[in-house]
């Protein structure tokens, strides 16, 4: 089933808008970087052209005005300023709404306001000195540029001689040569002759490849830059030669072109070849070398594009579901083979188990995306918040290559946005306050990610004022969460911040203060079977750590039995397994601690937690699990073994049962519940605290 062309455009437009945003954010730090300016201009030009092609007329019209303003920056007529960049960033957000939403009168009115702001920013920038782009023209082209500088001005020449050749894959990639020729006609009177000298014999002809080049005689007072703008879409991939029309060969060329248009077919190749290959001037020699490089670059790009395929995310999700069903079926086959004496059946079962395992690993790899896709969106957020709050903010990212399941990335986006906003609003001080405290004027927000076993650890660190524990305690007491004077550990005190409706902000702002958000953050993280922790040092800053599983689809689990029920413990959280005899179980009643390498570890009797009503097995086992530095033991009756666990979400009826994070289907068709490790560890630590307090 083919994808709707409009939806394809929307996907490509989203990528272009992302490139525009990242380019503009880079430009805020390097306002004179010509390469960045050119890249943003090209993206705007591409978006305008593609929008017009697919019927997004409002988008094309609005983007045209932004492109025109940015073209003045590109040509050095107006310097790039932070205000101008911010105006284009706001315009970029409007472009996104024109792509995603149905265009209304409100959209058009908002666009007019943004264009007015953009014009004002351009006029303000023009009032200052014109910045000279830092990225100068390469030394090999300086002489050429100087030679044609007078000719580049409007009216300096009566026209241009143009020869261009697009790459062979141009049309298959969506480039329409006729549209380029139409744009050249819009610049003035154009005589166009096709150069068919490179067309191969019929037996060697590839119908989808482009073999024709074009000679154009253009009579116009437009400058050379206007011609470059026509080919800006494909400039990197094509061959282009442009000469002033006033050269001595003008008449001969024009006559040759006219004769070529009426000549017999066998004479066309020779005539065009003669026209297209006059004695080379210096500009042609340079452009020829550039064309060779461009062709090589085009071939490399074509090779790279052939190595990747765009696949809708929904298809990956469907494929993941099929792989999950295959894993369940393989588990059933393995169980039947184990109970059978047929060696051939066992052999086939083992082979299918191996193949399904490899398919599962490959599928998991396909779903993995780097954290950079998540961290990248915070550059814009920090930029906007810095302007809104008046704070100077430096964003530092680490471990961007760490990969996580795409579903996890999608569900982490909103919680991370809230945490970063909170760190900026509550944590970072104003520049004057930071300087009084002996800190740099610029506050720092650090986002880091690293993989640890089957988890990824994401940290949000700021170097701000830290958390005022007295204010947190006062708020907790006034909310009735603790009694006045009650002893509370530092960890538990900071956890109150994640309680619903809890806020220590003295006033409500656009960023925070209403007491909503942090509890939603915690629920979202826990719904991913993750955990959230916070540490803070007064005057030095705060650190929030998120521990998230790499995937939420298929995991390796440890299958255990408690009473008559079977349960799955995520294998990534399992540290070790110990035996607990019936005598030791009776001896530890009331203590619920085991000594593990000279350290006391609390443990929970799952038989009691689940109220199975069964007697314990003679040789119980303790499965020691951990989340970070916290450890707890789980007493089970039997360890059955490893199990490839396809995670199924709980029904709405059981969604609030905190002990379990999901369910899976076993080989015999029965259901096993997956234990929520974070919740069990928290329960064990709470029980430990109660026992210590009682002791």
């Amino acid at each position: 089933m083919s994808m709707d062309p409009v939806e394809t455009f929307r996907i490509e437009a989203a990528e272009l808008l992302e490139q525009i945003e990242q380019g503009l954010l880079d430009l805020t730090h390097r306002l004179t970087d010509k390469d960045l300016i050119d890249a943003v201009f090209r993206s705007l030009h591409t978006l305008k052209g593609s929008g017009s092609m697919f019927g997004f007329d409002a988008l094309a019209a609005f983007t045209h005005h932004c492109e025109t303003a940015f073209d003045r920056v590109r040509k050095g007529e107006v310097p790039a300023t932070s205000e101008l960049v911010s105006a284009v960033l706001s315009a970029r957000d409007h472009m996104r709404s024109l792509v995603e939403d149905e265009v209304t009168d409100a959209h058009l009115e908002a666009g007019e306001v943004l264009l007015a702001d953009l014009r004002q920013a351009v006029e303000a920038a023009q009032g200052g000195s014109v910045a000279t782009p830092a990225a100068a023209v390469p030394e090999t082209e300086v002489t050429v540029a100087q030679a044609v500088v007078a000719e580049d001005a409007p009216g300096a020449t009566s026209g241009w001689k143009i020869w261009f050749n697009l790459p062979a894959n141009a049309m298959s990639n969506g480039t329409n040569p006729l549209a380029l020729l139409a744009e050249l006609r819009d610049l003035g009177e154009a005589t166009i002759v096709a150069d068919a000298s490179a067309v191969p014999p019929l037996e060697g002809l590839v119908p989808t490849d482009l073999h024709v080049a074009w000679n154009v005689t253009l009579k116009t007072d437009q400058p050379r830059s206007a011609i470059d703008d026509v080919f800006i879409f494909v400039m990197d991939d094509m061959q282009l030669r442009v000469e002033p029309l006033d050269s001595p060969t003008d008449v001969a060329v024009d006559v040759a072109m006219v004769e070529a248009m009426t000549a017999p077919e066998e004479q066309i190749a020779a005539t065009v070849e003669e026209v297209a290959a006059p004695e080379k001037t210096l500009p042609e020699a340079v452009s020829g070398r550039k064309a060779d490089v461009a062709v090589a670059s085009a071939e490399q790009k074509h090779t790279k594009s052939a190595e990747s395929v765009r696949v809708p995310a929904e298809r990956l999700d469907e494929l993941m579901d099929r792989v999950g069903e295959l894993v369940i079926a393989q588990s059933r086959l393995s169980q039947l083979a184990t109970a059978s004496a047929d060696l051939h059946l066992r052999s086939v079962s083992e082979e299918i188990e191996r193949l399904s395992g490899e398919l599962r690993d490959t599928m998991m790899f396909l779903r993995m995306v780097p954290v950079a896709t998540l961290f990248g969106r915070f550059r814009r957020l920090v930029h906007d918040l810095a302007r809104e709050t008046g704070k100077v903010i430096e964003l530092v990212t680490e471990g961007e290559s760490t990969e996580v399941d795409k579903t996890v990335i999608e569900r982490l986006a909103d919680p991370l946005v809230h945490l970063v906003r909170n760190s900026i609003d509550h944590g970072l001080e104003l520049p004057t306050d930071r300087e009084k405290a002996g800190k740099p004027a610029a506050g720092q927000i650090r986002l880091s990610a690293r993989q640890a076993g089957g988890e990824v650890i994401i940290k949000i660190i700021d170097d701000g004022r830290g958390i005022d524990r007295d204010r947190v305690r006062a708020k907790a007491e006034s909310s009735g969460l603790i009694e006045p004077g009650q002893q509370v550990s530092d960890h538990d005190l900071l956890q109150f911040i994640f309680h619903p409706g809890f806020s220590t902000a003295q006033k409500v702002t656009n960023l925070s203060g209403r007491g909503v958000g942090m509890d939603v953050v915690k629920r979202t993280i826990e719904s991913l079977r993750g955990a959230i922790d916070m540490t803070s040092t007064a005057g030095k800053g705060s650190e929030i750590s998120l521990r998230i599983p790499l995937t939420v689809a298929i995991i390796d689990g440890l299958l255990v039995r408690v009473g008559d029920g079977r349960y799955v413990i995520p294998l990534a959280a399992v540290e070790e397994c110990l035996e607990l005899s019936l005598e030791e179980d009776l001896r530890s009643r009331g203590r619920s601690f085991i000594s593990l390498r000279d350290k006391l570890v609390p443990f929970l009797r799952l038989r009691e937690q689940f109220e199975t009503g069964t007697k314990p097995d003679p040789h119980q086992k303790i499965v020691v699990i951990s989340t970070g530095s916290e450890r707890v033991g789980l007493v089970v009756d039997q360890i059955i073994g490893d199990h490839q666990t396809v995670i199924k979400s709980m029904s709405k009826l059981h969604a609030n049962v905190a002990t379990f994070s999901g369910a899976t289907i076993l080989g015999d068709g029965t259901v096993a519940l997956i234990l929520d490790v974070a919740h069990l560890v928290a329960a064990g630590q709470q029980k430990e605290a109660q026992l210590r307090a009682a002791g």
Side-chain angles (χ1 to χ4, degrees):
M1 180 173 157
S2 59
M3 185 179 290
D4 181 4
V6 173
E7 286 305 314
T8 302
F9 164 73
R10 284 196 168 101
I11 294 171
E12 293 178 352
E15 293 177 355
L16 286 170
L17 290 168
E18 179 68 20
Q19 292 172 13
I20 292 170
E21 182 177 85
Q22 296 304 320
L24 290 170
L25 291 172
D26 288 335
L27 198 56
T28 57
H29 303 291
R30 305 196 298 276
L31 290 172
T32 57
D33 191 323
K34 188 176 184 303
D35 290 338
L36 282 175
I37 294 171
D38 289 344
V40 172
F41 177 80
R42 281 197 298 270
S43 296
L44 287 169
H45 191 76
T46 304
L47 183 64
K48 180 193 76 171
S50 300
S52 178
M53 185 184 304
F54 285 94
F56 287 76
D57 296 332
L59 171 69
F62 180 81
T63 308
H64 172 71
H65 292 292
C66 298
E67 175 200 10
T68 302
F70 217 78
D71 187 35
R72 300 185 64 187
V73 177
R74 183 175 69 104
K75 293 176 179 177
E77 298 172 7
V78 175
T81 63
S82 57
E83 290 74 18
L84 177 57
V85 171
S86 294
V88 181
L89 273 171
S90 299
R92 175 260 177 205
D93 294 339
H94 185 64
M95 294 173 202
R96 184 178 64 181
S97 67
L98 292 176
V99 171
E100 296 176 351
D101 305 330
E102 184 177 349
V103 179
T104 63
D105 291 340
H107 281 96
L108 300 179
E109 292 172 5
E112 289 299 325
V113 173
L114 289 169
L115 290 177
D117 293 342
L118 181 59
R119 284 192 291 270
Q120 185 177 354
V122 171
E123 291 170 3
Q126 196 170 17
S129 59
V130 178
T132 302
V137 180
E139 191 171 342
T140 55
E141 298 185 51
V142 171
T143 307
V144 178
Q146 291 171 343
V148 299
V149 67
E151 299 166 350
D152 197 37
T157 177
S158 60
W160 304 92
K161 293 181 298 183
I162 306 164
W163 178 88
F164 69 93
N165 181 24
L166 298 171
N169 64 338
M171 291 194 295
S172 59
N173 285 343
T175 301
N176 184 356
L178 298 181
L180 300 175
L181 295 172
E183 286 192 55
L184 290 175
R185 286 194 183 97
D186 291 341
L187 298 178
E189 182 184 343
T191 303
I192 301 170
V193 177
D195 178 355
S197 59
V199 177
L202 184 60
E203 59 271 13
L205 185 69
V206 179
T208 56
D209 283 357
L210 178 63
H211 303 287
V212 181
W214 283 270
N215 283 288
V216 181
T217 300
L218 179 64
K219 295 180 179 180
T220 180
D221 60 355
Q222 293 291 325
R224 163 68 189 267
S225 58
I227 297 172
D228 290 340
D229 287 348
V230 170
F231 297 102
I232 195 168
F233 281 127
V234 289
M235 185 68 77
D236 293 337
D237 299 337
M238 67 178 296
Q239 299 179 63
L240 174 66
R241 290 202 297 270
V242 181
E243 294 179 349
L245 194 57
D246 299 331
S247 65
T249 57
D250 288 346
V251 177
V253 170
D254 285 342
V255 171
M257 284 184 175
V258 174
E259 289 178 351
M261 295 171 68
T262 57
E265 191 172 320
E266 61 270 13
Q267 296 178 8
I268 291 178
T271 304
V272 172
E273 183 177 355
E274 187 175 339
V275 172
E279 185 178 351
K280 289 181 183 279
T281 61
L282 178 57
E284 290 176 317
V286 174
S287 63
R289 286 195 297 271
K290 290 173 65 179
D292 292 340
V293 175
V295 171
S297 175
E299 290 175 353
Q300 291 173 359
K301 290 183 180 179
H302 182 60
T303 302
K304 288 181 180 178
S305 64
E307 293 173 356
S308 61
V309 178
R310 190 193 302 275
V311 178
E314 297 78 19
R315 294 187 182 178
L316 282 181
D317 292 337
E318 291 175 7
L319 183 57
M320 193 68 200
D321 290 340
R322 301 296 180 273
V323 172
E325 297 299 327
L326 176 63
V327 168
I328 293 172
Q330 177 273 318
S331 178
R332 180 164 176 75
L333 175 62
S334 178
Q335 187 169 344
L336 291 173
T338 302
S340 172
D342 190 336
L343 296 179
H344 295 293
L345 177 61
R346 291 188 182 183
S347 176
V348 171
S349 173
E350 290 172 0
E351 183 68 12
I352 291 179
E353 182 176 2
R354 180 184 65 81
L355 292 173
S356 66
E358 292 177 355
L359 181 60
R360 181 202 67 165
D361 294 340
T362 302
M363 190 62 234
M364 298 300 300
F365 177 76
L366 287 177
R367 289 171 58 95
M368 296 299 235
V369 293
V371 176
T373 59
L374 180 62
F375 285 179
R377 66 186 70 181
F378 291 104
R379 297 181 63 203
R380 175 66 186 281
L381 176 67
V382 168
H383 172 273
D384 292 347
L385 291 181
R387 292 178 64 86
E388 183 177 342
T389 61
K391 298 176 180 179
V392 182
I393 308 170
E394 177 188 1
L395 177 66
V396 179
T397 57
E398 298 174 348
E400 294 167 292
S401 60
T402 304
E403 293 189 330
V404 189
D405 189 289
K406 75 173 187 67
T407 306
V408 175
I409 289 285
E410 291 165 1
R411 292 171 65 180
L412 274 180
D414 289 343
L416 275 181
V417 166
H418 193 85
L419 292 173
V420 170
R421 289 171 69 95
N422 251 30
S423 294
I424 291 173
D425 191 37
H426 290 297
L428 298 184
E429 312 95 331
L430 290 168
T432 52
D433 296 334
R434 291 181 62 86
E435 289 172 353
K436 290 178 183 177
K439 297 180 178 181
Q444 187 180 92
I445 297 291
R446 183 179 297 273
L447 295 175
S448 68
R450 65 181 178 86
Q451 187 175 336
E455 294 180 321
V456 63
I457 301 173
I458 297 177
K459 293 185 177 182
I460 304 97
I461 306 169
D462 68 74
D463 64 348
R465 61 173 63 91
I467 296 175
D468 188 335
R469 286 164 172 78
D470 293 336
R471 189 180 296 176
V472 173
R473 184 177 185 88
K475 179 68 177 179
E477 290 178 356
S478 65
S479 302
L481 300 176
I482 57 174
E483 297 293 330
Q486 180 180 337
Q487 292 292 324
V488 180
S489 68
D490 188 65
H491 175 270
D492 291 342
L493 184 66
L494 294 179
Q495 286 295 315
F496 285 133
I497 292 173
F498 299 103
H499 194 275
F502 195 95
S503 176
T504 60
Q506 295 176 329
K507 62 179 180 179
V508 175
T509 68
N510 290 334
L511 297 184
S512 58
R514 293 183 171 84
V516 295
M518 293 299 276
D519 60 315
V520 178
V521 168
K522 186 173 184 180
R523 283 203 302 271
T524 303
I525 299 302
E526 290 179 346
S527 71
L528 290 169
R529 306 191 320 278
I532 184 169
D533 197 12
M534 175 183 290
T535 59
S536 181
T537 304
K540 293 186 178 180
S542 303
E543 176 180 313
I544 300 175
S545 297
L546 310 178
R547 302 183 67 89
I548 310 293
L550 290 174
T551 178
V552 294
I554 299 178
I555 61 171
D556 286 320
L558 185 68
L559 187 62
V560 300
R561 180 178 60 81
V562 179
D564 298 327
R566 286 176 290 181
Y567 305 88
V568 174
I569 304 173
L571 198 58
V574 176
E575 285 196 353
E576 57 186 300
C577 300
L578 310 170
E579 185 169 328
L580 179 69
S581 64
L582 184 59
E583 294 77 12
E584 290 174 331
D585 184 27
L586 293 172
R587 197 163 48 243
S588 61
R589 289 281 174 184
R591 288 193 315 120
S592 296
F593 283 97
I594 57 170
S595 179
L596 189 61
R597 287 183 288 278
D598 299 329
K599 289 186 178 180
L600 290 178
V601 176
F603 65 82
L604 300 172
R605 294 176 173 85
L606 294 184
R607 191 177 60 260
E608 296 176 0
Q609 291 281 115
F610 301 156
E611 299 179 359
T612 62
T614 59
K615 294 182 179 180
D617 276 22
H619 301 285
Q620 300 176 85
K621 304 294 187 294
I622 298 180
V623 181
V624 180
I625 59 174
S626 69
T627 56
S629 59
E630 306 294 339
R631 294 192 299 174
V632 68
L634 304 178
V635 179
V636 302
D637 288 323
Q638 180 187 3
I639 296 175
I640 299 174
D642 294 349
H643 184 267
Q644 285 190 23
T645 305
V646 180
I647 301 172
K648 302 290 185 181
S649 58
M650 304 280 279
S651 68
K652 293 182 179 179
L653 183 64
H654 303 92
N656 295 324
V657 181
T659 310
F660 308 108
S661 59
T664 188
I665 302 173
L666 301 178
D668 58 3
T670 60
V671 174
L673 296 173
I674 303 169
L675 300 182
D676 187 329
V677 171
H679 180 271
L680 290 170
V681 169
Q685 297 299 323
Q686 184 177 6
K687 186 171 183 179
E688 177 189 5
Q690 293 172 352
L691 291 171
R692 290 184 187 278

